[in-house]
Amino acid sequence: MQNSSSSSSLMVKQEFFTKWKKGLKIYSAFNKEMTIMERKRAIKLSADVAIASTRSATTQWSRAVVAEVSSSAAGAARIAAEEILGRKLSTERRKAQAGKKIVRRRRKAAARGAVRSSAAAVAKKVVRNRRRVLKRLIPGWKKLDEICLIKETLDYIASLQVQVDVMRHLANAGETLHHQQILL
Amino acid sequence: MDKQHYLMNAGIPLQIEASMPIPWSSDQSFFNPNSSVDHHFDSDAFALRHLIGKLDRSSPAALPSLAADPGFAERAAKFSCFGSRSFNGRTSSPPGSATPGQSMVALPRVASSPSLKLNGSPPPRNRKLPGSGANSNEESSVSEQIPSGETGSNSRKRKSASRGKNKDHRSNSPKEDENLKRSKQTENCENEQECNENKTNQKPPEPPKDYIHVRARRGQATDSHSLAERVRREKISERMKLLQDLVPGCNKVTGKALMLDEIINYVQSLQRQVEFLSMKLASVNPDMENLLSKDMYQQSTSLPQQMYPLDSSSPAYYHHHQNVQQQQLHSTNISSVDPLPLDASLGIQIDGFAQNLPQFPAFTEDDLHSIVQMGFIHNTVQNQTSNMKVEL
């Protein structure tokens, strides 16, 4: 079981890595000289789009990442993202459907007016606050309700782990080469 | 997932799990990188069956009822596997409860407790007394003090944990009435497990239908709202347990608030790591193309330290790789080649390889790909052996 899970995560890592490199290549084809901040942004954007595309829009957060990129991306970034995803990005604004859910939630919250200061109520409040914080961390959090939140968190954490793992490998490799070059 | 097949065949309730779409745990199995929920199933189910056998020997009266429910071990295993650590902590913390018989006494209550815990502030309250009464009737070698103390502490824990969750339950009072009736039934039972079994045996297994079946547990209101609520809560708690497996260091904490805290910290740290690593990558290499080609060098040079076990010499592969080296522009598809022999060859010939490197700076993407692949394989193997999830 461990082997199968690690091999499937391996596949995800490979997929992510390929897509990421694709994006980076496009960036480098666009402008040879980039400042360090531009490079960093390019790297991060390519990585984010790549890891989101491994989900192929099945999860809320991946869709949100792609939507964010498509609405706020300029030249090279846009083309890199499109290349990674393999499709054209749509520039439309996000629909107003998300608003309805939020309104409903606010009304519900306002209905519970009674103030109970017992330990249990405090604990509940703490939990609720933390859920809210967690929600905000995940891209596309506006459309998440409680059950979906946990599911999305699961998926998002796993993808982040893949992303961090690959990037760390690359960074370590770069570092060792750097040291070798210095030594040699 | 033969456990679930078993459960379905036995018609045992847990069709909640069976009929829910499971793209989650079965297909995307890399969510449990550490492993093996199923693995836990097997060992726990086996252990539980063993314990049931032991208990049967000690208290023969309980034998038929326990044996009558074949899915009991699996169910308990299922519950216990998700929270195995917390269960172990609970059963081992009271002093003197060392024997498996005693823990077996605690386990059935504990096994059904995740569901009860979510809902039942009245049930533990009412069951505490008859519970200790039932325990005192036991003929087993288990001493009276310890089980009742244990179950008392369990129920106390459950009560405090679940009280908060049930403050705004409107259906508290009907539940208590039901509990009074049920508790009388408990007193008549000789053993608690038997009582659980009685309750579940009274309701014949229903044939699986299209919609989700929910079994109303002891002392629970059966109206649709609270049932749906309970299903929802179970879904949430089940997924929280999956999260627990995913987030390192989340096993020790119990309780939603702390766990959520851990999860938040972990997500934030992962996001920060991504930022940091992208910055690092941007600073290490002045140029993107260099980055892509250099990473090949780095992988190849960092590989040999990891590749000692793979010493299968295959000069043919090496030559093949050399040919690939010479074809800079024409990209041969190495990814079709099995990566392991390739990196074996790299391992042996690394000196010559390193010398060759400066001559062939621009490798193709596929080479890069396969080489990083190797890096991943090795690192995942290493991670497995050292059992590291995250290096921070």
Side-chain angles (χ1 to χ4, degrees), chain B residues 90-99 101-103 105-106 135 138 141-154 156:
Chain B
R90 227 183 285 169
T91 54
S92 59
S93 61
S97 62
T99 69
Q102 290 172 346
S103 64
V105 169
N135 277 335
E138 266 181 81
S141 53
V142 171
S143 64
E144 286 184 11
Q145 300 297 324
I146 297 174
S148 57
E150 205 173 297
T151 51
S153 69
N154 280 346
R156 246 181 279 127

Side-chain angles (χ1 to χ4, degrees), chain B residues 156-391:
Chain B
R156 246 181 279 127
K157 280 186 196 164
R158 246 183 286 140
K159 201 185 4 169
S160 58
S162 55
R163 198 189 294 150
K165 299 182 187 145
N166 278 323
K167 265 292 172 176
D168 48 355
H169 242 302
R170 307 284 175 265
S171 50
N172 263 349
S173 39
K175 259 196 236 168
E176 284 181 5
D177 293 337
E178 284 187 44
N179 287 338
L180 288 173
K181 290 183 209 155
R182 300 268 173 92
S183 57
K184 287 184 188 138
Q185 194 185 1
T186 337
E187 286 179 53
N188 297 334
C189 292
E190 199 172 348
N191 196 355
E192 273 192 19
Q193 295 106 26
E194 207 180 29
C195 299
N196 282 336
E197 297 325 304
N198 273 346
K199 176 219 135 210
T200 52
N201 285 339
Q202 276 163 10
K203 300 177 187 163
E206 301 164 16
K209 288 182 195 157
D210 289 343
Y211 39 90
I212 295 176
H213 280 254
V214 182
R215 208 50 75 127
R217 292 192 183 79
R218 284 192 59 177
Q220 303 306 314
T222 51
D223 57 322
S224 57
H225 288 298
S226 52
L227 273 183
E229 176 101 19
R230 196 178 343 130
V231 165
R232 176 179 153 271
R233 257 187 297 223
E234 279 173 4
K235 267 197 220 171
I236 288 179
S237 66
E238 170 199 331
R239 291 193 178 149
M240 293 287 270
K241 300 218 170 78
L242 282 176
L243 265 178
Q244 245 184 349
D245 292 333
L246 203 61
V247 174
C250 214
N251 310 323
K252 298 150 197 161
V253 300
T254 45
K256 275 199 229 170
L258 291 171
M259 224 165 69
L260 282 173
D261 208 25
E262 282 294 314
I263 294 169
I264 289 172
N265 286 338
Y266 189 57
V267 169
Q268 278 175 339
S269 81
L270 282 177
Q271 286 175 336
R272 263 182 267 136
Q273 270 186 332
V274 168
E275 296 271 344
F276 170 71
L277 283 170
S278 60
M279 187 54 140
K280 189 170 172 188
L281 283 169
S283 66
V284 159
N285 295 302
D287 193 348
M288 286 305 177
E289 284 187 1
N290 272 355
L291 171 117
L292 296 176
S293 58
K294 268 180 196 175
D295 116 70
M296 200 289 307
Y297 297 120
Q298 300 127 19
Q299 287 298 326
S300 61
T301 50
S302 60
L303 278 176
Q305 296 117 33
Q306 306 159 5
M307 268 192 301
Y308 295 132
L310 300 174
D311 265 349
S312 55
S313 64
S314 42
Y317 286 105
Y318 175 59
H319 291 309
H320 170 72
H321 196 78
Q322 261 192 331
N323 290 336
V324 170
Q325 279 181 341
Q326 285 153 11
Q327 299 165 16
Q328 295 180 37
L329 303 172
H330 172 56
S331 63
T332 58
N333 197 358
I334 297 193
S335 43
S336 59
V337 175
D338 189 16
L340 284 177
L342 190 58
D343 62 26
S345 68
L346 278 178
I348 308 160
Q349 312 288 350
I350 197 58
D351 296 332
F353 195 59
Q355 284 165 16
N356 283 331
L357 284 180
Q359 305 165 15
F360 305 99
F363 272 68
T364 60
E365 172 148 339
D366 293 321
D367 302 349
L368 223 45
H369 194 117
S370 55
I371 285 165
V372 177
Q373 251 179 348
M374 298 172 227
F376 292 156
I377 292 175
H378 282 294
N379 280 320
T380 49
V381 165
Q382 276 187 342
N383 282 343
Q384 279 172 20
T385 52
S386 61
N387 202 20
M388 287 189 309
K389 255 182 167 167
V390 166
E391 315 146 5

